[in-house]
Amino acid sequence: MAGIGIVGAGVAGLHLGLLLRQHEVPVTIYSDRTARQLGSGRMLNSVAHHHATIERERALGVDHWEAEEYHYFGHHHYLGGGPQPLVFPGFFTAPSRAIDYRLYLPALLEDFVSRGGEFDVRPVQAADVVTLSERHDLVVIASGRGDMSAMFPRRADKSPYDAPQRKLCVGLYEGVAPSDPRGVTMSVAAGHGELLEIPIYSSAGHVTALLFENVPGGDLEMLAEISYEDDPAGFEKTILDKTRQYHPATFARIDPAAFHLTGPLDVLQGAVLPSVREDYTRLPNGRYVVAVGDAHVVVDPVIGQGANCASYSAWELGHAIVEDPNFDERFCRKVADRRRNRVYATADWTNLMIRTPPPPHLLRMFGAMAQNQAVADEFTENFSYPDRQWDNLATPERVQHYLTARGLS
Amino acid sequence: MAGIGIVGAGVAGLHLGLLLRQHEVPVTIYSDRTARQLGSGRMLNSVAHHHATIERERALGVDHWEAEEYHYFGHHHYLGGGPQPLVFPGFFTAPSRAIDYRLYLPALLEDFVSRGGEFDVRPVQAADVVTLSERHDLVVIASGRGDMSAMFPRRADKSPYDAPQRKLCVGLYEGVAPSDPRGVTMSVAAGHGELLEIPIYSSAGHVTALLFENVPGGDLEMLAEISYEDDPAGFEKTILDKTRQYHPATFARIDPAAFHLTGPLDVLQGAVLPSVREDYTRLPNGRYVVAVGDAHVVVDPVIGQGANCASYSAWELGHAIVEDPNFDERFCRKVADRRRNRVYATADWTNLMIRTPPPPHLLRMFGAMAQNQAVADEFTENFSYPDRQWDNLATPERVQHYLTARGLS
């Protein structure tokens, strides 16, 4: 075949490309950035890969970070806002890890090219896709950049928000002692948002990502606006002050004298509009184009699901391509069917987590987690299985059923 | 839990009920007929179970017909209408079998009851379902009888015909020597319809089902109208005469002197309107009801897929019930997603097979089967996997691609 064209060199595009190369399918990945540019720019995110994703990396032969030093083992919860904070851990059945994507993506791109994948650096706009579609058997859009996403209509029924629900400020820091056992700390400052403290490996070594998820109108919204570039010391002082006041479990492990951003590009600020888009579109020439990753579903980073979902979705799409390389509407519908449950669950669960105020059944689950280690562990494990999480969490009735079945209601 | 209520004691209801009992879920099957009535009435159908269905029976521990005497091994094709008939076999990877449902259903019902299933004989109408829904955690409609199907709106997009495409006349006969190797003979009389000659086990022993699938307006339509009861000898003579003229491959194995219907109830005439209905409905009390089998999808019997599809669909539903017993809309949608591909493929493939005139890409596939044993075997094997069949057959482009990939175009 003339092969598959993939627009985008993020985790979705690379996992898809690597899977297809394992099956000797010709693949070209288009990117507007070289490997060097991907590796040397501003930080891209602070996402962790959970073990379901790591299993895919192992199957792809790209598990370059299998040593224990890269791993963490669960979540430390600090839920403020009540008379007493709820403080409890939850553990995975297998570890997660966070690798700076400026290391991760170039490494996988090298794997891809060394295995016969084509890498074509050029800007691709939506207007170019018809031309690409005539060069390839199938074009996959694995980039939400520029105007690519707009090819796929946003689904109002799965996109409950008209505006971002969190203002984001994420950076890489030295001077934060790891939690014990090593894990992500999820700190909730009721009414103001969350801090995700993530052990991450970057070019600076083992450092800490602090991802502030700030409620618009809350006391921490300003973290998404202050400029490190204009005033590095003032920026770091503000981060320290806000952490002390709102996220004390993390602050307790910070050495203020050693606390620094690891570099001027190691900070990212902004906001995300959660969106679920159609799975595919038909071009004027009759060819079909499939969306994966951010082109398909954008979630707030609060529970770190975006990259894991993109990898999962790419995996399902890749197997569909290998099994049935007839790229018509039947193909697209089969892809949509096989990934729908987990992908929608990822979006729905994330959207529940950022609802303000948090719905009572979510708080009820948190309360049960604080009292019951098995419940906390299952919730934590389900960061690998958002569909199972959503089975337990989707409605007040489901939470009731879940707790009743465990003698906890 | 208060358990699952299943309306209907056909293959869908019984396979579902047996699967749930394996997982110790309380189940009640409602039927308007006793086991004795199911076993002693007019013949119900002439369906074969293919090996994907037999594997489910094995897993359920209801494989009571595992001896080779019950098995057949493939299809003998006789495609008339061209300058020369196309005559060729196709073979399964594992055998199929046809058991008269008047033996099959009571046997499985006995298994169900002996394993703790409740069997409640009473007429159930659509108006009764709200009451049932308050007695059970979930009600499943596994019967297309009476007004039950109308609870689930017919989907125009998946139901291409407004009227039956075949007039049916099926009976059980003595005096037909089996084909060698034992198989179903599929005889096509172009413009007039098909004869399916099926080795079947009934209370009369190993006999032959002759299922005439007659095109409305064709020379054999009258077979659906003539009355055995009014004139048994005349009925049998007409069957013989039409078989001689239109389906010579089968006629060649008939001993006219020994040719008789095995009993006055061993004939069934009528027609089927192919319909795909919604997967589920919401009752006025907020409870959801799921359709399976004929309540969900009705296909013409021409390729014997209805019971196999009903069993498959029940299997997927049963596993969904065990995995996530929260019977809300999320549950229903998950069931729909997981069974959609194979169930729709069953309907779409069957609807293609009864299109008049047959579409060129179907004829092209038949031509390839006649020339290439591997293609004939794959088509035959895919009676167990309608979704794979449809991958190869759904469009002219897919047939082209399939043949090209095998060097046959």
Side-chain angles (χ1 to χ4, degrees), chain A residues 209-374:
Chain A
L210 297 182
L211 166 58
F212 291 88
E213 292 260 339
N214 310 301
V215 174
D219 291 351
L220 286 79
E221 180 179 14
M222 48 85 73
L223 294 183
E225 312 294 341
I226 59 174
S227 167
Y228 177 85
E229 199 170 22
D230 291 352
D231 178 8
F235 179 93
E236 289 173 350
K237 180 174 185 309
T238 303
I239 294 286
L240 265 184
D241 289 347
K242 294 297 188 187
T243 304
R244 179 188 299 113
Q245 186 175 354
Y246 290 97
H247 299 295
T250 293
F251 185 78
R253 278 179 284 101
I254 293 180
D255 172 2
F259 184 77
H260 293 294
L261 199 73
T262 55
L265 294 176
D266 296 346
V267 61
L268 186 66
Q269 292 161 298
V272 161
L273 176 62
S275 299
V276 172
R277 297 177 177 279
E278 295 291 352
D279 287 85
Y280 62 91
T281 193
R282 187 175 185 274
L283 299 176
N285 64 2
R287 310 297 294 266
Y288 288 85
V289 175
V290 178
V292 68
D294 282 350
H296 182 215
V297 174
V298 170
V299 293
D300 187 279
V302 68
I303 45 174
Q305 291 295 321
N308 294 282
C309 185
S311 166
Y312 166 77
S313 184
W315 195 255
E316 294 298 323
L317 172 58
H319 283 287
I321 289 170
V322 171
E323 289 164 18
D324 180 24
N326 289 281
F327 305 120
D328 54 9
E329 187 158 23
R330 168 168 174 73
F331 172 85
C332 295
R333 287 183 173 169
K334 289 199 298 178
V335 170
D337 280 349
R338 68 194 279 169
R339 71 187 183 181
R340 181 177 298 112
N341 186 26
R342 194 179 290 186
V343 172
Y344 280 11
T346 300
D348 291 339
W349 172 32
T350 303
N351 287 333
L352 184 78
M353 299 292 280
I354 56 177
R355 199 188 295 171
T356 304
H361 65 285
L362 179 60
L363 297 178
R364 199 164 169 226
M365 182 66 87
F366 288 160
M369 291 164 66
Q371 290 164 23
N372 186 294
Q373 192 59 46

Side-chain angles (χ1 to χ4, degrees), chain B residues 241-376:
Chain B
D241 288 347
K242 294 297 188 187
T243 304
R244 178 188 299 113
Q245 186 175 356
Y246 291 97
H247 299 294
T250 292
F251 185 79
R253 279 179 283 100
I254 292 180
D255 173 2
F259 184 77
H260 292 295
L261 199 73
T262 55
L265 294 176
D266 296 347
V267 61
L268 185 67
Q269 292 161 298
V272 161
L273 176 62
S275 298
V276 172
R277 297 178 178 278
E278 296 291 351
D279 287 84
Y280 62 91
T281 194
R282 186 174 186 274
L283 299 176
N285 65 0
R287 311 297 295 267
Y288 287 85
V289 176
V290 178
V292 67
D294 282 350
H296 182 214
V297 174
V298 171
V299 293
D300 187 279
V302 68
I303 45 173
Q305 290 295 321
N308 294 281
C309 185
S311 165
Y312 166 78
S313 184
W315 195 254
E316 295 298 325
L317 172 58
H319 283 287
I321 289 170
V322 170
E323 290 165 18
D324 180 24
N326 289 281
F327 304 120
D328 54 11
E329 187 158 25
R330 168 166 173 74
F331 172 86
C332 296
R333 287 183 173 169
K334 289 199 298 178
V335 170
D337 280 350
R338 70 193 280 169
R339 71 187 183 183
R340 180 177 299 113
N341 186 25
R342 193 179 290 186
V343 171
Y344 280 13
T346 300
D348 290 339
W349 172 31
T350 302
N351 287 332
L352 185 78
M353 299 292 279
I354 56 177
R355 199 189 296 171
T356 303
H361 65 285
L362 178 61
L363 297 177
R364 202 167 165 222
M365 182 66 87
F366 287 159
M369 290 164 67
Q371 290 164 24
N372 186 294
Q373 192 59 46
V375 172

Side-chain angles (χ1 to χ4, degrees), chain A residues 65-109:
Chain A
W65 303 272
E66 58 187 331
E68 187 181 312
E69 64 178 295
Y70 301 108
H71 289 160
Y72 70 88
F73 305 97
H75 295 158
H76 300 277
H77 304 87
Y78 180 93
L79 311 182
Q84 290 283 338
L86 298 180
V87 183
F88 56 93
F91 297 100
F92 311 125
T93 62
S96 297
R97 68 183 168 217
I99 307 293
D100 188 323
Y101 264 35
R102 293 170 294 182
L103 302 178
Y104 182 86
L105 298 180
L108 266 67
L109 187 54

Side-chain angles (χ1 to χ4, degrees), chain B residues 204-248:
Chain B
H206 292 289
V207 297
T208 302
L210 297 181
L211 166 58
F212 291 89
E213 292 259 341
N214 310 301
V215 174
D219 291 351
L220 285 79
E221 180 178 13
M222 48 85 74
L223 295 183
E225 312 295 341
I226 58 174
S227 168
Y228 177 84
E229 199 170 24
D230 290 352
D231 179 7
F235 178 93
E236 288 173 351
K237 179 174 186 308
T238 304
I239 294 287
L240 266 183
D241 288 347
K242 294 297 188 187
T243 304
R244 178 188 299 113
Q245 186 175 356
Y246 291 97
H247 299 294

Side-chain angles (χ1 to χ4, degrees), chain B residues 73-329:
Chain B
F73 306 97
H75 295 158
H76 300 278
H77 304 88
Y78 180 92
L79 311 181
Q84 288 284 339
L86 298 180
V87 183
F88 57 92
F91 296 100
F92 311 125
T93 61
S96 297
R97 69 182 168 218
I99 307 293
D100 188 321
Y101 263 34
R102 293 170 295 180
L103 302 178
Y104 183 84
L105 298 180
L108 266 65
L109 187 53
E110 187 178 327
D111 293 329
F112 172 74
V113 171
S114 76
R115 297 172 190 182
E118 294 282 325
F119 182 58
D120 191 345
V121 178
R122 64 163 89 184
V124 175
Q125 305 296 325
D128 305 320
V129 172
V130 167
T131 303
L132 286 189
S133 79
E134 286 161 3
R135 187 182 303 162
H136 295 285
D137 292 321
L138 175 70
V139 171
V140 175
I141 306 300
S143 167
R145 289 161 64 88
D147 61 354
M148 301 305 294
S149 292
M151 294 178 65
F152 308 96
R154 190 169 187 255
R155 290 191 53 155
D157 61 327
K158 301 302 295 178
S159 306
Y161 300 119
D162 296 328
Q165 300 298 296
R166 295 290 187 273
K167 299 296 181 72
L168 309 176
C169 175
V170 59
L172 302 182
Y173 297 90
E174 295 168 330
V176 186
S179 51
D180 181 28
R182 192 162 55 238
V184 160
T185 294
M186 312 183 115
S187 172
V188 177
H192 302 287
E194 302 81 12
L195 169 61
L196 286 300
E197 174 213 325
I198 305 158
I200 189 169
Y201 184 75
S202 79
S203 60
H206 292 289
V207 297
T208 302
L210 297 181
L211 166 58
F212 291 89
E213 292 259 341
N214 310 301
V215 174
D219 291 351
L220 285 79
E221 180 178 13
M222 48 85 74
L223 295 183
E225 312 295 341
I226 58 174
S227 168
Y228 177 84
E229 199 170 24
D230 290 352
D231 179 7
F235 178 93
E236 288 173 351
K237 179 174 186 308
T238 304
I239 294 287
L240 266 183
D241 288 347
K242 294 297 188 187
T243 304
R244 178 188 299 113
Q245 186 175 356
Y246 291 97
H247 299 294
T250 292
F251 185 79
R253 279 179 283 100
I254 292 180
D255 173 2
F259 184 77
H260 292 295
L261 199 73
T262 55
L265 294 176
D266 296 347
V267 61
L268 185 67
Q269 292 161 298
V272 161
L273 176 62
S275 298
V276 172
R277 297 178 178 278
E278 296 291 351
D279 287 84
Y280 62 91
T281 194
R282 186 174 186 274
L283 299 176
N285 65 0
R287 311 297 295 267
Y288 287 85
V289 176
V290 178
V292 67
D294 282 350
H296 182 214
V297 174
V298 171
V299 293
D300 187 279
V302 68
I303 45 173
Q305 290 295 321
N308 294 281
C309 185
S311 165
Y312 166 78
S313 184
W315 195 254
E316 295 298 325
L317 172 58
H319 283 287
I321 289 170
V322 170
E323 290 165 18
D324 180 24
N326 289 281
F327 304 120
D328 54 11
E329 187 158 25

